[in-house]
């Protein structure tokens, strides 16, 4: 990474760079020149290369000679620094970028591929932070196609993985990283100078994979990977200070979100030593210390200092509200947080431009967090209001910036930085004492002690062996071959490679309905309702278009990509010779050339068969699933490709001989799905609430401190895992390793049926027909379908009413402090200071529902393209707590996709896990009570909790398939202290969406992933002592279920809570046991030695 002291682009600079890159891209697509022209091109190339300054020419030659796998900063590996070492690579690249790009173009035309790829290598990081990686990676891929014998730097391969991570293609990123980890950093014909260079590539790869797990909300597993990367960086002959800084910052971010039980498991792992982070008395203090150390390690790079001081301030701010922080010490921690935010905001001088989305986002976050800190330090309310409004306006401009053309970006950047300057003046940000002109941190920070660690390359190898089994299996599922197959597209010779990260919707096993659907359909023609045009290259490479495929909304089944270039990063992992050798001994890859179109008719028929099967998995709304889709582009108007290449290639999406979808598009842009780039920046009067309650509740039911816990007859509190029988076991210390349940779990599972039989008291009743239990989750939507009364209003059971029994969560701030009640707030949705304190410290699910639940007030977003203050709420199933952070959110435009109950909306907020990634908000089409949103989140995070334990069981049996539920969170939009809206939010996922099971008895028999889903249901039934089962499984499947599966929007049938519209309780469990799973276990159940499924007691019949 690099600083920004001299990297500010003017509009002329940006346009010139863009034009030069476009010329290089055209040159890379050009066929080899004639001999006469080639000689002229060679002379031009020699002239361009000779024009480089001596330092840059030396760097270019070192890149050609493969001296390092990543371009190093001068300060990165040195312990003692001279003044000249404190400059960043960007300080050298920026003024000479036109010359370097001229060398790139000339070397391409002169067929000097080694020099061309070396030039790409040198400018890669600089252009990544100026949001120009997309075209550069296209150039690299085209060069590799023409010259597969020329090595591609590991930095470029990992850059592709980062871009995939940012754009929501987690499967693709996972496969690239697993290949590098499994092969000790091997990237085709790249030659390493030493084993330590291989270790460095592995350390970076495992670090990036840790950020993927962080994005998935798997905090413990992510922290273990980041720890492994730290070991790798420290084990190098000269420790990598930049790598250490990055990993420490990521670790700090993870610890902020991690629950206390996972932190205990992490810190007591005998293979992990965190003594350098203090005494470990509190995870947030350890996180703050890690972030501060990250600042010191990267003090010469402004972006790193800004990023890590913002993380540090966030840790300190969060700790000041924690239950463990003595109230008398809160001001001191708030002052420390203020200092951190100020340091970050001072990394840019007034008038200096910023050319990176990540840097702009972090500046806004630091400014907003500083305003929040001042609020709690007692600053005048009008000053705080003006500062937060400026940040909201800056965030609106930022969202415009992300999708603006080159000509508009600089103007938006100026406006954003002017607003940041306004905040700094309002909050009286002053320079600090700094005696080192090359550093961005105050002298007081440099007093921190160096970490006393003793890691070797052998110790790093030992750590990496813990993950080897998983990554080896993932590489076997995927095929990363550089096939050398050629197809002329746009005049370029294309080498189609396969990464194996997508699987088509599989054909059905013949059923009457499927056969009928196939027979009636026209061969080779695709029904408009069966596809969605959607693709968006997110992250810093985003252009003005913003589409979306399924995008976490279950009403659309997306097909597979037709852009072969999208997967060509795989070819960078292997040389041509290696790929030929592996092709002879390995099954064919998942993506194949569609040179022959003879199979298109059968492919289309298979597609329609599966559409009918998926429709058949619904209970009542099967017909609507295929027709009630909003935002589908008409055939032939699918927009332009926005993948990492503009070359459109027809590919089949499945290695199976009977696969289809050679006509399908996984990632095509639809006008209906674009995030508008032309929207005018928000003016202050437009920065207002975009949602409002349909009615206001006049009652005043008290703040969190007023909540008692009266006795009541609902089982809702059973969602609190503090009171779940199995909770103390499933998070024991050795769970930090990727293991399944502890050894005594098997005994407990086998005996669960005996224990449960005595607890069921519900009267016996015959199982209902599917029609009696309408599907609560169809493939069109991801939400509860409420039972309606005659007037059309929802009828809510006692569970929905939110009464709770007298059970207290010892970690809940409200439960612990209910005796401290003071005056009631002005209304149910007006948050008092005590409410804020409780939410920021953490409240249990029951207290949150009782405080916010109302049958009289309904919420629905009414405006889009607006910024709001907000509370970002996360739920942990392990602790049973909801924890809030104050943030700022921008509600974008609808994505053009609706289900029967909810719609998807682009959203961006300051405290999202990945700054460069996209997020999707889900809002109900009709105004709903706030508890619906909260229960959506609670249900999905409960499923994530169960599936994490299921994955451990698979891993212990050396079964490497992994299932993930993407994390769901809630955003409460605010006007002042008044809640005016609520949505749930998830990471954006790009890919093909498959429905495996519904919430009654139907299942997709075509996909092997369904077997894992049914085994998962079997597992959760036993793991919960036969009280719950997770059903209605759908998401993104790879490797036909043997690889990575990402799921969303499940349903849970539970006898722990009273029945409701989304919980069929014992009746739903009976559906699963007797119909969906059935009496016979599949091979996954047998592999895990799960006892046969049986129903015990009457609770499962009523």
């Amino acid at each position: 990474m690099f600083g920004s002291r001299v990297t500010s682009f003017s509009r002329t600079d940006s346009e010139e760079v863009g034009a030069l890159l476009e010329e290089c891209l055209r040159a890379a697509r050009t066929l080899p020149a004639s001999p006469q022209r080639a000689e002229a091109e060679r002379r031009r190339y020699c002239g361009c290369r000779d024009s480089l300054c001596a330092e840059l020419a030396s760097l270019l030659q070192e890149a050609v000679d493969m001296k390092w796998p990543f371009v190093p900063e001068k300060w990165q590996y040195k312990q003692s620094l001279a003044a000249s070492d404190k400059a960043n690579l960007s300080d050298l690249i920026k003024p000479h970028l036109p010359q370097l790009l001229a060398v790139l173009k000339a070397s391409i035309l002169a067929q000097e591929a080694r020099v061309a790829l070396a030039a790409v290598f040198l400018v890669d990081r600089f252009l990544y932070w100026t949001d120009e990686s997309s075209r550069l990676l296209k150039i690299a891929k085209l060069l590799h196609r023409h010259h597969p014998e020329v090595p591609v730097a590991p930095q470029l391969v990992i850059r592709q993985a980062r871009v995939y991570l940012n754009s929501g293609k987690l499967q693709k990123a996972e496969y690239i990283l697993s290949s590098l980890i499994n092969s000790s950093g091997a990237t085709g014909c790249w030659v390493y100078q030493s084993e330590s260079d291989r270790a460095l590539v592995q350390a970076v790869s495992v670090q990036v994979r840790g950020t993927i797990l962080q994005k998935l909300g798997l905090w413990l597993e992510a922290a273990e990977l980041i720890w492994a990367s730290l070991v790798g960086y420290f084990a190098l002959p000269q420790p990598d200070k930049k790598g250490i800084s990055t990993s420490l910052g990521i670790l700090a971010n993870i610890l902020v979100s991690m629950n206390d039980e996972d932190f205990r498991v992490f810190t007591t792992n005998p293979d992990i030593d965190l003594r350098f982070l203090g005494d470990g008395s509190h995870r947030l203090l350890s996180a703050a210390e890690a972030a501060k150390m990250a600042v010191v390690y990267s003090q010469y790079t402004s972006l790193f200092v800004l990023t890590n001081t913002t993380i540090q301030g966030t840790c300190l701010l969060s700790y000041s509200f924690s239950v463990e922080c003595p109230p008398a010490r809160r001001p001191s921690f708030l002052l420390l947080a203020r200092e951190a935010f100020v340091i970050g905001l001072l990394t840019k001088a007034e008038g200096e431009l910023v050319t990176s989305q990540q840097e702009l986002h972090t500046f806004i976050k630091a400014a907003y967090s500083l305003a929040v800190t001042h609020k709690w330090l007692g600053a005048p309310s009008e000053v705080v209001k003006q500062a937060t409004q400026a940040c909201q306006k800056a965030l609106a401009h930022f969202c415009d910036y992300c999708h603006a053309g080159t000509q508009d970006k600089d103007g938006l950047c100026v406006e954003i930085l002017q607003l940041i300057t306004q905040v700094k003046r309002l909050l009286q940000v002053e320079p600090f004492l700094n005696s080192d002109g090359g550093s961005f941190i105050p002298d007081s920070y440099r007093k921190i002690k160096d970490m006393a660690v003793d890691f070797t390359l052998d110790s790093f190898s030992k750590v990496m062996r813990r993950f080897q089994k998983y990554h080896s299996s993932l590489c076997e599922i995927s095929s990363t071959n550089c096939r050398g197959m050629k197809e002329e597209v746009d005049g370029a010779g294309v080498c189609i490679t396969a990464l194996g990260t997508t699987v088509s919707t599989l054909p059905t096993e013949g059923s009457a309905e499927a056969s009928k659907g196939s027979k009636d359909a026209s061969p080779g023609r695709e029904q408009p309702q069966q596809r969605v045009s959607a693709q968006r290259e997110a992250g810093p490479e985003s252009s003005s278009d913003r589409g979306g495929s399924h995008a976490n909304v279950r009403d659309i089944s997306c097909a597979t990509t037709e852009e072969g270039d999208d997967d060509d990063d795989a070819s960078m992992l292997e040389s041509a010779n290696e790929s030929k050798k592996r092709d002879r001994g390995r099954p064919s890859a998942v993506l194949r050339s569609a040179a022959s179109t003879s199979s298109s008719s059968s492919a289309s028929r298979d597609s329609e068969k599966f559409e009918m099967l998926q429709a058949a998995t619904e209970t009542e709304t099967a017909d609507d699933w295929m027709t009630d889709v909003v935002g589908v582009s008409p055939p032939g108007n699918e927009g332009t490709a926005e993948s990492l290449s503009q070359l459109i290639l027809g590919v089949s999406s499945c290695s199976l001989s009977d696969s289809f979808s050679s006509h399908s598009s996984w990632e095509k842009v639809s006008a209906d799905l674009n995030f508008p780039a032309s929207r005018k920046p928000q003016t202050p009067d437009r920065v207002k609430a975009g949602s409002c309650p349909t009615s206001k509740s006049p009652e005043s039911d008290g703040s969190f401190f007023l909540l008692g816990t009266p006795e009541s007859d609902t089982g809702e509190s059973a969602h609190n895992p503090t009171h779940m029988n199995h909770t103390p076991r499933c998070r024991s210390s050795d769970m930090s390793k990727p293991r399944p349940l502890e050894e005594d779990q098997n005994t407990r599972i086998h005996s669960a049926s005996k224990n449960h039989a005595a607890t069921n008291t519900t009267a016996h009743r015959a199982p209902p027909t599917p029609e009696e239990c309408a599907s609560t989750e169809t493939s069109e939507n991801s939400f509860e379908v409420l039972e309606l009364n005659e007037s059309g209003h929802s009828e809510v059971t006692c569970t929905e009413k939110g009464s709770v029994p007298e059970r207290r969560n010892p970690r809940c701030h409200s439960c612990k402090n209910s005796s401290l009640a003071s005056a009631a707030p002005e209304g149910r949705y007006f948050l008092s200071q005590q409410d804020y304190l409780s939410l920021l410290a953490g409240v249990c699910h029951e207290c949150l529902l009782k405080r916010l639940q109302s049958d009289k007030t309904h919420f629905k977003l009414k405006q889009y393209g607006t910024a709001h203050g907000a509370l970002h709420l996360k739920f942990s199933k392990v602790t049973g707590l909801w924890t809030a952070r104050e943030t700022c959110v921008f509600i974008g435009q609808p994505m053009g996709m609706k289900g029967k109950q909810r719609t998807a909306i682009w959203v961006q907020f300051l405290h999202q896990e990945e700054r460069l990634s996209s997020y999707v908000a889900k809002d109900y089409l009709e105004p709903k009570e706030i508890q619906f949103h909260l229960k959506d989140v609670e249900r999905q995070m409960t499923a994530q909790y169960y599936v994490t334990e299921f994955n451990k069981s698979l891993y212990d049996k050396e079964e490497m398939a992994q299932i993930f539920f993407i994390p769901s969170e809630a955003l409460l939009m605010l006007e002042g202290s008044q809640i005016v809206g609520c949505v749930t939010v998830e990471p954006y996922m790009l890919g093909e969406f498959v429905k495996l099971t519904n919430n009654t008895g139907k299942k997709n028999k075509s996909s092997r992933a369904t077997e894992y889903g049914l085994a998962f249901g079997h597992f959760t039934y036993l793991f919960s002592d036969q009280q719950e089962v997770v059903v209605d499984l759908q998401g993104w499947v790879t490797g036909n279920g043997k690889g990575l599966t990402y799921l969303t929007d499940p349903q849970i049938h539970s006898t722990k809570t009273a029945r409701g519209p989304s919980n069929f309780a014992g009746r739903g469990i009976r559906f699963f046991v007797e119909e969906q799973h059935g009496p016979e276990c599949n091979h996954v159940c047998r592999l895990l030695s799960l006892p046969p499924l049986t129903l015990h007691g009457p609770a499962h019949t009523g």
Side-chain angles (χ1 to χ4, degrees):
M1 303 245 178
F2 49 84
S4 307
R5 282 168 287 188
V6 295
T7 59
S8 299
F9 271 15
S10 67
R11 180 174 300 176
T12 303
D13 292 330
S14 302
E15 292 176 354
E16 180 185 6
V17 168
L20 287 170
L21 279 173
E22 198 59 41
E23 290 177 15
C24 293
L25 188 56
R26 286 197 297 269
R29 289 173 173 156
T30 304
L31 293 173
S34 63
Q36 297 82 2
R37 184 181 166 195
E39 182 59 31
E41 297 292 358
R42 177 152 191 85
R43 287 195 299 270
R44 186 177 293 108
Y45 154 72
C46 291
C48 288
R49 188 165 180 180
D50 290 342
S51 69
L52 295 177
C53 68
E55 187 175 6
L56 205 54
S58 175
L59 265 180
L60 182 63
Q61 187 57 50
E62 288 181 328
V64 170
D65 296 338
M66 297 179 280
K67 290 294 185 183
W68 8 255
F70 301 90
V71 184
E73 301 285 2
K74 291 181 178 180
W75 53 265
Q76 190 169 348
Y77 297 101
K78 294 182 178 180
Q79 299 304 311
S80 299
L81 301 178
S84 59
D85 296 327
K86 297 174 183 179
N88 288 282
L89 179 66
S90 59
D91 300 337
L92 175 63
I93 296 292
K94 194 272 173 181
H96 299 99
L97 186 59
Q99 294 99 307
L100 268 175
L101 293 179
V103 170
L104 174 58
K105 177 185 174 183
S107 58
I108 291 171
L109 294 173
Q111 299 296 300
E112 289 287 342
R114 281 184 176 271
V115 175
L117 279 168
V120 171
F121 182 19
L122 281 186
V123 301
D124 160 65
R125 192 180 295 138
F126 182 85
L127 291 182
Y128 179 66
W129 294 116
T130 57
D131 307 327
E132 281 286 4
S133 267
S134 182
R135 279 183 285 193
L136 193 66
L137 286 172
K138 292 174 188 176
I139 293 167
K141 292 178 181 182
L142 287 167
L143 286 168
H144 182 66
R145 291 192 189 122
H146 288 302
H147 307 278
E149 75 286 353
V150 177
V152 178
Q155 177 175 311
L156 294 175
V157 180
I158 293 177
R159 177 72 64 221
Q160 179 67 83
R162 292 183 189 275
V163 169
Y164 279 152
L165 168 61
N166 294 337
S167 62
K169 303 175 190 175
L170 302 191
Q171 303 101 322
K172 294 177 180 289
E174 284 263 35
Y175 284 116
I176 292 174
L177 299 169
S178 290
S179 178
L180 289 170
I181 294 168
N182 186 57
S183 61
S184 299
T187 56
C189 45
W190 181 270
V191 177
Y192 287 99
Q193 302 297 314
S194 66
E195 285 302 308
S196 62
D197 283 348
R198 288 181 178 272
L200 175 60
V201 172
Q202 283 189 301
V204 175
S205 299
V206 79
Q207 177 197 78
V208 178
R209 183 160 187 270
T211 63
I212 292 176
L213 296 187
Q214 176 190 9
K215 186 173 182 176
L216 290 171
L218 302 173
W219 317 118
L220 176 58
E221 294 79 3
E224 290 176 337
L225 289 175
I226 298 304
W227 170 257
S229 70
L230 278 170
V231 175
Y233 293 133
F234 275 112
L236 299 175
Q238 294 295 328
D240 180 354
K241 292 192 285 186
K242 189 177 76 170
I244 293 167
S245 173
T246 304
S247 285
L248 284 172
I250 295 170
L251 179 61
N253 240 342
I254 291 170
L255 294 181
V256 171
S257 298
M258 181 183 285
N259 63 68
D260 291 331
E261 178 62 21
D262 279 353
F263 181 68
R264 184 192 65 78
V265 172
F266 181 57
T267 54
T268 55
N269 186 329
D271 297 323
I272 294 174
D273 184 1
L274 295 178
R275 284 176 295 177
F276 61 87
L277 297 182
D279 61 7
S281 59
H282 198 281
R283 61 180 173 82
L284 292 173
L285 294 180
S286 294
E289 186 67 14
K292 187 174 183 178
M293 294 177 70
V295 171
V296 176
Y297 271 99
S298 59
Q299 60 183 288
Y300 304 108
T301 302
S302 63
L303 176 58
F304 268 32
V305 172
L306 169 64
T307 298
N308 292 316
T309 51
T310 304
I311 295 171
Q312 181 196 8
T314 300
C315 298
L316 294 166
L317 185 60
S318 297
Y319 178 74
S320 71
F321 298 110
S322 68
V323 173
E324 293 80 5
C325 179
R329 296 200 60 193
R330 180 175 297 140
S332 63
F333 284 105
L334 288 171
L335 288 172
L336 290 174
R338 182 190 186 280
E339 179 187 30
F341 295 131
V342 165
I343 294 169
L345 289 171
L346 290 174
T347 55
K348 266 296 186 262
E350 190 169 339
E352 224 179 334
L353 284 182
V354 174
T355 57
S356 158
Q357 286 186 28
Q358 181 168 343
E359 197 164 10
L360 276 175
H361 184 278
T362 312
F363 265 114
I364 301 170
K365 180 178 179 180
Y368 187 84
S369 299
L370 181 62
V372 170
T373 304
H374 273 254
K375 179 184 77 171
W376 291 105
L377 283 169
S381 59
E382 185 59 32
V383 171
V384 173
K385 180 180 178 181
Q386 291 180 32
T388 54
Q389 287 179 343
C391 293
Q392 291 173 20
K393 187 175 180 181
L395 182 59
H397 287 329
F398 173 77
C399 293
D400 290 326
Y401 174 94
C402 292
H403 311 289
T406 303
Q407 294 184 348
D408 299 324
K409 281 194 170 183
D410 289 337
L412 288 167
C413 178
V414 169
E415 291 186 52
I416 292 169
L417 292 178
Q418 286 176 346
L419 290 165
I420 300 301
T421 300
Q422 179 183 337
V423 173
K424 289 159 67 174
R425 290 173 179 169
L426 283 167
L427 303 180
Q428 301 179 357
V429 171
E430 300 291 341
F432 48 76
L433 181 63
N434 180 11
S435 59
D436 186 345
S439 171
F440 291 94
I441 67 174
D443 291 342
S444 58
Y445 268 52
R446 279 186 282 274
K447 297 176 182 178
I448 195 170
K449 295 181 179 179
D450 286 338
M451 296 168 61
V453 296
D454 184 22
F455 298 127
T456 64
L457 290 178
D458 286 340
S459 61
F460 178 59
S461 296
K462 180 181 177 182
V463 171
M464 292 304 296
R465 280 196 292 272
R466 293 179 53 204
F467 311 107
Q468 199 70 32
K469 192 166 57 173
Y470 171 81
H471 296 297
S472 298
S473 175
L474 205 55
C475 291
E476 289 174 7
I477 295 167
S478 64
S479 177
T480 54
N481 297 334
C482 180
R483 299 182 177 281
M485 298 170 62
K486 301 290 182 180
E487 180 174 343
E488 292 296 317
V489 178
D490 292 344
V494 180
C495 172
I496 300 176
T497 59
L499 200 56
T501 60
T502 63
V503 176
S504 64
T505 38
L506 301 173
T508 72
E509 299 173 358
S511 67
E513 290 180 68
S515 300
K516 183 175 184 292
S518 172
K519 185 175 180 179
D520 294 341
S522 300
R525 188 180 68 196
E526 182 181 27
Q527 301 300 318
Q529 292 86 357
Q530 294 177 0
R531 69 185 299 171
V532 168
S533 296
Q535 194 278 337
R536 185 180 72 83
E537 193 60 61
E541 289 70 46
S542 296
S543 69
S544 59
D545 287 325
R546 184 161 183 163
S549 75
H550 187 280
N552 310 9
V553 181
R554 299 177 0 181
D555 41 14
I556 312 291
S557 173
C558 293
T560 320
T561 182
E562 289 184 0
E563 290 197 63
D565 191 60
D566 190 43
D567 290 316
D568 290 342
D569 49 281
S571 66
M572 301 178 187
L573 299 174
E574 300 187 37
S575 66
N577 291 334
E578 287 175 324
S579 67
K580 290 176 183 176
K581 186 190 304 180
R582 297 191 185 188
D583 276 347
R584 291 194 292 268
R586 181 177 290 183
S588 59
V590 176
L591 297 182
R592 292 188 180 274
S593 169
S596 170
T597 59
S598 62
S599 62
S600 62
S601 295
S602 62
S604 177
R605 285 192 296 270
D606 285 339
S607 171
E608 289 156 358
K609 285 180 184 179
F610 187 73
E611 299 296 341
M612 292 300 297
L613 173 69
Q614 283 193 307
T617 63
E618 309 311 325
T619 358
E620 285 195 339
T621 56
D623 295 336
D624 295 335
W625 182 78
M626 302 242 283
T627 57
D628 187 22
V629 175
V630 179
V632 180
S633 298
N637 184 27
E638 295 163 347
T640 57
E642 273 293 317
S643 184
L644 294 178
S645 171
Q646 295 172 342
L647 306 179
I648 309 303
L649 307 175
V651 299
S652 172
S653 62
C654 184
S655 61
L656 302 178
S657 60
D658 60 347
S659 67
F660 72 97
S661 294
S662 59
H663 61 278
S664 301
S665 173
W666 190 30
E667 308 166 300
K668 290 185 177 177
V669 175
S670 163
D672 290 333
L673 302 178
N674 289 340
F675 194 119
S678 58
R679 182 178 58 77
K680 294 181 180 180
Q682 301 297 313
T683 55
D685 60 321
R686 287 192 63 195
V687 183
K688 59 184 180 180
S691 65
C692 62
T694 56
S695 64
K696 290 195 175 182
S697 175
E699 73 274 17
S700 175
D701 284 359
S703 71
F704 284 106
F705 283 88
L706 292 177
L707 293 183
T709 49
E711 296 183 1
S712 173
D713 280 339
T714 184
E716 184 79 286
S717 66
H719 282 287
N720 182 351
T722 305
H723 311 294
M724 293 170 61
N725 294 334
H726 63 273
T727 301
R729 304 190 195 185
C730 64
R731 289 287 174 177
S732 58
S733 59
D734 64 355
M735 281 301 168
S736 59
K737 300 178 181 179
R739 291 177 49 82
L741 312 179
E742 292 193 277
E743 294 179 1
D744 65 340
Q745 291 287 339
N746 216 24
T747 305
R748 187 178 58 77
I749 288 176
H750 281 275
S751 63
S753 59
K754 293 185 292 184
N755 298 334
H756 185 68
T759 65
N760 296 325
T761 58
T762 308
H764 179 80
R765 180 178 168 182
T769 64
E771 289 73 22
E772 287 181 77
C773 293
S775 173
T776 63
E777 299 281 348
T778 74
S779 56
E780 291 183 282
N781 64 74
S782 35
F783 318 100
E784 309 170 52
V785 176
L786 291 180
E787 301 162 347
L788 302 179
N789 59 24
E790 293 180 359
S791 65
H793 295 92
S794 62
E795 291 183 343
V796 183
T797 65
C798 60
T799 300
E800 308 296 334
K801 299 283 184 185
S803 54
V804 293
E806 187 162 357
R807 288 184 178 178
R808 294 177 181 267
N809 186 327
R811 296 184 174 102
C812 173
H813 186 272
S814 178
C815 289
K816 290 183 67 173
N817 295 279
S818 58
S819 60
L820 304 178
S822 59
E826 298 172 14
R828 177 168 292 277
Y829 294 108
F830 177 87
L831 299 179
S832 68
Q833 182 174 357
Q834 291 176 332
D835 290 331
Y836 274 104
L837 290 173
S838 289
L839 286 166
L840 296 171
V843 295
C844 66
H845 186 62
E846 291 71 33
C847 287
L848 183 66
L849 284 180
K850 186 162 185 179
R851 173 61 182 85
L852 296 181
Q853 191 162 275
S854 171
D855 296 333
K856 299 180 181 179
T857 307
H858 299 69
F859 292 100
K860 172 78 174 70
L861 290 175
K862 298 203 173 176
Q863 282 184 295
Y864 302 104
T866 56
H868 311 268
L871 283 176
H872 175 211
L873 286 170
K874 290 185 176 183
F875 177 72
S876 167
K877 179 65 175 178
V878 175
T879 62
L881 295 182
W882 289 85
T883 306
R885 280 188 288 191
E886 295 175 88
T887 190
C888 182
V889 59
F890 182 81
I891 301 295
Q893 297 299 320
M895 297 173 65
M897 294 184 292
K898 296 180 182 178
K900 285 191 172 181
Q901 291 290 308
R902 290 198 293 185
T903 185
I905 307 157
W906 291 115
V907 68
Q908 198 148 21
F909 57 104
L910 294 180
H911 288 79
Q912 59 194 46
E913 289 295 336
E914 287 292 321
R915 288 169 292 185
L916 296 181
S917 295
S918 299
Y919 285 77
V920 176
K922 296 178 180 179
D923 189 27
Y924 282 92
L925 295 173
E926 298 298 327
K928 294 290 183 187
E929 301 93 329
I930 204 168
Q931 58 264 28
F932 283 85
H933 299 280
L934 299 176
K935 290 182 180 181
D936 287 338
V937 173
E938 190 267 348
R939 181 169 56 248
Q940 188 148 325
M941 298 310 291
T942 297
Q944 185 195 68
Y945 166 79
Y946 282 135
V947 87
T948 301
E949 302 302 328
F950 178 69
N951 286 339
K952 293 174 184 177
S953 293
L954 289 176
Y955 194 91
D956 190 58
K957 297 294 184 179
E958 300 193 4
E959 178 67 32
M960 295 302 110
Q962 296 281 280
I963 303 175
F964 305 102
F965 278 95
I966 58 176
S968 179
E969 299 158 354
L971 288 171
L972 302 180
M973 271 70 73
L974 304 173
E975 271 187 1
S977 294
Q978 184 85 14
I979 299 174
V980 294
C982 182
V983 294
T984 58
V985 62
E986 298 175 356
Y988 173 81
M989 292 288 291
L990 187 59
E992 179 190 2
F993 195 82
V994 178
K995 188 168 182 69
L996 303 177
T997 67
N998 76 342
N999 62 328
T1000 55
K1002 301 297 177 62
K1003 57 193 171 188
N1004 174 3
K1005 298 179 181 179
S1006 302
S1007 175
R1008 190 171 184 180
T1010 303
E1011 296 184 4
Y1012 288 89
L1014 294 174
F1016 168 56
H1018 186 165
F1019 176 90
T1020 59
Y1021 177 62
L1022 299 173
F1023 192 77
S1024 64
D1025 293 330
Q1026 298 178 313
Q1027 297 179 77
E1028 292 188 324
V1029 63
V1030 181
V1031 295
D1032 215 8
L1033 305 180
Q1034 56 266 299
W1036 301 264
V1037 179
T1038 65
N1040 194 17
K1042 290 282 290 180
L1044 304 172
T1045 298
Y1046 303 90
L1047 301 177
T1048 187
D1049 299 325
Q1051 289 295 343
I1052 299 178
H1053 297 314
S1054 175
T1055 58
K1056 294 181 178 182
T1057 61
R1059 290 176 54 187
S1062 63
N1063 173 20
F1064 301 161
R1067 299 167 65 192
I1069 292 175
R1070 190 177 188 88
F1071 268 129
F1072 174 79
V1073 172
E1074 296 186 344
E1075 297 185 32
Q1076 195 169 89
H1077 181 282
E1080 296 294 327
C1081 284
N1082 61 40
H1083 79 284
V1084 183
C1085 300
R1086 292 191 293 270
L1087 176 71
L1088 298 180
S1089 302
L1090 300 179
L1093 273 179
T1094 57
L1095 292 171
H1096 291 276
H1100 297 142
T1101 62

